[in-house]
Amino acid sequence: MKRNRRISAVAALALAALVTGTGAGFAATTTPSATPVATHAFDTAPATATVPTPSFHGTLPAPTGPYAAGEDIIHLTDASRLDPWVPSSGPRQLTVTMVYPAVPGTGTPAPYMTLAEAAGHIQRAKIPASSGITPQNLAGVTTQAFDGARPQRGKYPLVVLSPGFGDPRMVLTSLATELASHGYVVALVGPTHEDSGETLENGQTPPCAICDDPKLDMDRVTASRALDASFVIDQLTHGNTAWRLAHLIDKHEIGMAGHSIGGASAAATMIADPRVRAGVNMDGKFYPVPMPGQINRQFLMLGAAENRDDTTWGQAWAALGGYKKWLAVTGANHPSFTDVDLLEEQAGFPTPPLDPARGIVITREYVTAFFDQTLKKIHSPLLDGPSPNNPEVLFHP
């Protein structure tokens, strides 16, 4: 079951015009497919002049912690290596969204993405005008994050977030703002040339260079993302030249989480970089499967209940040597751990059995609890076993 590749095969977020990376999107929401398909729910949308054009207004849930979520966009260039997918473009360039604990009532509302990024998603997903999805209203999704907000004083653990294959970094915004509100600095790393577009420092928004490659080696993708993550950590923990608020980061407490191939990349990064003390794989097939002894640190596997049948999850579980939890969420589909299902629902499209808002609540609660316990040393009873407040969450024995 190629859960990560299925993502690039179908529309991952038609409302956000995401074609790839998070899975079912506005197309199929059932069994993953290993074969790319171009079925988009919007393809069948009525386009007659007599039907009023809907207007999409997306809103992500507010974070629940005591802090607001501040946001900065930074651009980093790794001069030590060429871009792995488009070497002719020169050194590897990354766009990173920094989300941090902020003082409520400061800053200005942050857009979900740039107009160029939104236009790229819409173009790749072939979203017709009759859908009501425009670059303007897609970029204007309410994120609950605030540009230039005044930071809270103190030092906070750093969590690196990596999206699914084909997905831009924005699909993990709900999780990023939640973590920031609970006292984490979050680095959402954009996978340049691996999605429908990340706006770089030079103003260009290059399209995906590898999304349609049926022979793509996914181990190579996770290895590249591990290099990206370690480079970002380097830049954020050595002075404040890369980010003006780098002084907020406790460089001794670093975690990483990701969705789909991003979750596999969290494991790959932990194997390569001992600074990452805790990792989370949200519904991602492991590429490659960790070998015994490679990860003896804390790891959370959070996924749809169907992952109990994924051989790489069973193999990874057996190989993990440190504190570990495997949580299966009943009724979830692949995008349930991202913003995708909620935004789809707001756009009027079918959703999985698990209510999209519940998917976000579960993801936020358990990922935050895991990092609280592993990076802040705050015991979380939520991780001790089944909870009556979260009956959908099953604990692997």
Side-chain angles (χ1 to χ4, degrees), residues 37-300:
V37 287
T39 52
H40 306 297
F42 283 147
D43 289 346
T44 60
T48 62
T50 58
V51 177
T53 299
S55 180
F56 167 67
H57 299 286
T59 300
L60 302 180
T64 65
Y67 307 131
E71 180 179 304
D72 281 339
I73 305 296
I74 63 174
H75 301 279
L76 303 175
T77 299
D78 185 354
S80 70
R81 64 184 179 117
L82 293 176
D83 187 277
W85 315 121
V86 186
S88 61
S89 66
R92 180 69 164 163
Q93 298 181 68
L94 297 171
T95 299
V96 182
T97 300
M98 300 302 304
V99 190
Y100 57 91
V103 177
T106 64
T108 57
Y112 194 55
M113 57 179 67
T114 67
L115 286 174
E117 289 163 343
H121 297 322
I122 290 173
Q123 181 179 13
R124 181 165 176 80
K126 299 180 175 63
I127 306 300
S130 59
S131 68
I133 307 298
T134 68
Q136 289 75 21
N137 60 31
L138 175 55
V141 166
T142 301
T143 64
Q144 311 293 345
F146 297 88
D147 278 336
R150 181 153 51 93
Q152 296 281 350
R153 294 181 179 179
K155 284 190 175 294
Y156 306 95
L158 171 67
V159 175
V160 178
L161 293 183
S162 183
F165 182 73
D167 277 353
R169 64 194 191 280
M170 302 82 172
V171 300
L172 297 178
T173 298
S174 291
L175 178 57
T177 56
E178 179 72 358
L179 287 168
S181 78
H182 285 275
Y184 293 88
V185 172
V186 181
L188 268 167
V189 182
T192 309
H193 295 127
E194 297 176 31
D195 63 19
S196 53
E198 302 277 344
T199 300
L200 304 176
E201 186 172 20
N202 60 10
Q204 296 180 356
T205 308
C208 189
I210 60 174
C211 288
D212 299 321
D213 181 358
K215 298 181 180 180
L216 182 64
D217 181 353
M218 301 309 286
D219 288 6
R220 186 182 171 203
V221 176
T222 58
S224 176
R225 291 209 187 180
L227 291 174
D228 287 346
S230 291
F231 170 70
V232 170
I233 293 170
D234 288 342
Q235 295 296 296
L236 293 175
T237 57
H238 292 91
N240 61 354
T241 57
W243 181 44
R244 65 185 180 91
L245 299 177
H247 62 274
L248 297 176
I249 295 172
D250 179 351
K251 63 182 180 180
H252 301 293
E253 299 295 344
I254 299 174
M256 182 171 175
H259 173 249
S260 195
I261 198 68
S265 300
T269 302
M270 289 186 72
I271 292 171
D273 193 334
R275 294 175 298 179
V276 181
R277 299 168 56 87
V280 181
N281 182 349
M282 298 182 291
D283 210 57
K285 190 179 183 75
F286 284 89
Y287 292 101
V289 176
M291 300 297 291
Q294 287 187 313
I295 300 179
N296 292 323
R297 284 155 283 158
Q298 302 97 324
F299 205 88
L300 170 65

Side-chain angles (χ1 to χ4, degrees), residues 20 42 54 65 78 94 109 170 243 288 306 325 345 354-356 370 386:
T20 60
F42 283 147
D78 185 354
L94 297 171
M170 302 82 172
W243 181 44
E306 66 179 24
K325 292 292 179 178
E345 181 181 59
L354 180 69
D355 179 75
F370 176 75

